[in-house]
Amino acid sequence: MKVLRSIAELRGWSRALRAAGGNTLGLVPTMGALHAGHASLIDAARGSCTHVAVTLFVNPTQFGPEEDFARYPRVFEADCALAERAGADMLFAPAVEELYPHGAGSTFVEVPGLSERLDGASRPGHFRGVATVVAKLLIAGEPDRAFFGQKDAAQVAVLRRMSADLHLGTEIVVCPIVRDTDGLALSSRNAYLTPGERRKALLLHRTIRRIEALAAEGERHSATLLAAAHACFASEPEVRADYIALVDGETLEPVETAAPGTLFAVAAWVGTTRLIDNTIIG
Ligand code: PAF
């Protein structure tokens, strides 16, 4: 597996693939601390593209001033090993100055209307940073497809809109949430949890299963479903809900009645760690 550091190398590598003819490129953008969820994205890319590139960049512009940018896990060697094992052909790991040559506040991509919903409401500027860095990666790498996890459902909505609005020509592919055997959605931030907090964090999945069960029984009223979700959270006072929402999966606007495709999403603080999870109502 090749490791590239500069935009010029990324662009050159991608264009050489295209020039050789018959190749397609799948891009898997990540911030590193790779786990089985990332491996499933690489696997999906492998399944539908001839070549797969993983990007590894802890993006400063998507972190707020009080957030975990400094302590975000950075484990380059382990990430290289996992990406290679999962089948990546190339890993792009630029320095901050390479992606932001005029500083991190120079040019931004905004997706108003979506950016300030769900995680965007409690993390102002977060989706602006995500949209900006992903736009840079898609413009430089020109992939046919880019792969993201359903766990970041609001991010997916923002990136779909951004890619379509900017005519980037990259298909945004969304892959299912990968869970641990006990149901906890895999996340690089799970590494922050103490064993006790990890047990409490299972509340997110329990809540999701409760809502899925109610929806399967035919309950469609948002108010009833949300009340049930709040009742689950009341049973575990040490887990603090950030948001509990039923929204349209594309516009992220709240819905009064859940329909197929409606997104039920939660974000919660377990100690000092913020976790998210969701399900699509069937
Ligand atoms: O989902 C992530 O890991 C990040 O938000 C992404 C898409 C790699 C952008 O930094």
Side-chain angles (χ1 to χ4, degrees):
M1 185 184 68
K2 232 182 206 343
V3 176
L4 302 181
R5 300 280 184 181
S6 75
I7 293 284
E9 287 173 319
L10 168 63
R11 186 166 275 144
W13 184 81
S14 163
R15 290 198 173 163
L17 282 185
R18 229 158 289 275
N23 290 322
T24 50
L25 176 59
L27 192 79
V28 181
T30 82
M31 297 206 298
L34 302 183
H35 50 64
H38 297 110
S40 79
L41 302 181
I42 299 172
D43 201 45
R46 240 322 16 121
S48 70
C49 300
T50 61
H51 290 75
V52 179
V54 173
T55 71
L56 197 165
F57 180 68
V58 186
N59 173 35
T61 63
Q62 69 187 77
F63 290 81
E66 306 301 320
E67 293 185 352
D68 56 341
F69 174 68
R71 71 167 178 143
Y72 199 84
R74 289 160 172 86
V75 286
F76 182 73
E77 298 302 331
D79 285 344
C80 285
L82 188 145
E84 185 158 27
R85 249 190 346 266
D89 300 289
M90 189 271 276
L91 186 120
F92 178 59
V96 172
E97 306 72 48
E98 183 66 21
L99 277 196
Y100 294 100
H102 298 103
S106 186
T107 299
F108 279 115
V109 176
E110 295 269 12
V111 188
L114 292 181
S115 282
E116 55 290 329
R117 295 189 182 276
L118 299 186
D119 309 280
S122 37
R123 303 182 67 190
H126 170 67
F127 285 132
R128 183 172 80 153
V130 171
T132 300
V133 79
V134 173
K136 285 170 183 276
L137 293 170
L138 299 190
I139 289 167
E142 300 173 331
D144 297 278
R145 301 190 184 93
F147 295 78
F148 300 90
Q150 170 62 27
K151 185 173 75 64
D152 300 302
Q155 167 170 285
V156 163
V158 168
L159 294 179
R160 279 206 159 126
R161 175 79 60 86
M162 180 273 288
S163 180
D165 281 349
L166 297 181
H167 308 287
L168 294 182
T170 298
E171 182 191 349
I172 304 294
V173 183
V174 185
C175 299
I177 295 175
V178 177
R179 298 184 180 281
D180 227 325
T181 47
D182 56 9
L184 186 67
L186 296 192
S187 162
S188 304
R189 290 191 168 96
N190 291 351
Y192 299 153
L193 299 171
T194 64
E197 288 172 340
R198 202 189 171 293
R199 273 193 300 281
K200 293 190 179 101
L202 295 177
L203 174 70
L204 277 75
H205 186 230
R206 271 206 308 283
T207 306
I208 278 166
R209 285 180 46 190
R210 174 85 183 116
I211 298 311
E212 285 174 340
L214 287 172
E217 288 165 15
E219 182 56 66
R220 286 288 180 269
H221 289 104
S222 288
T224 310
L225 293 167
L226 291 175
H230 281 284
C232 290
F233 267 74
S235 70
E236 187 59 88
E238 286 178 55
V239 178
R240 189 165 50 84
D242 178 5
Y243 64 72
I244 299 177
L246 269 162
V247 297
D248 181 279
E250 203 177 310
T251 64
L252 304 183
E253 284 178 25
V255 295
E256 282 188 12
T257 307
T262 296
L263 173 72
F264 172 71
V266 294
W269 288 96
V270 187
T272 56
T273 306
R274 186 176 175 281
L275 299 176
I276 58 175
D277 204 343
N278 68 76
T279 186
I280 305 281
I281 304 290

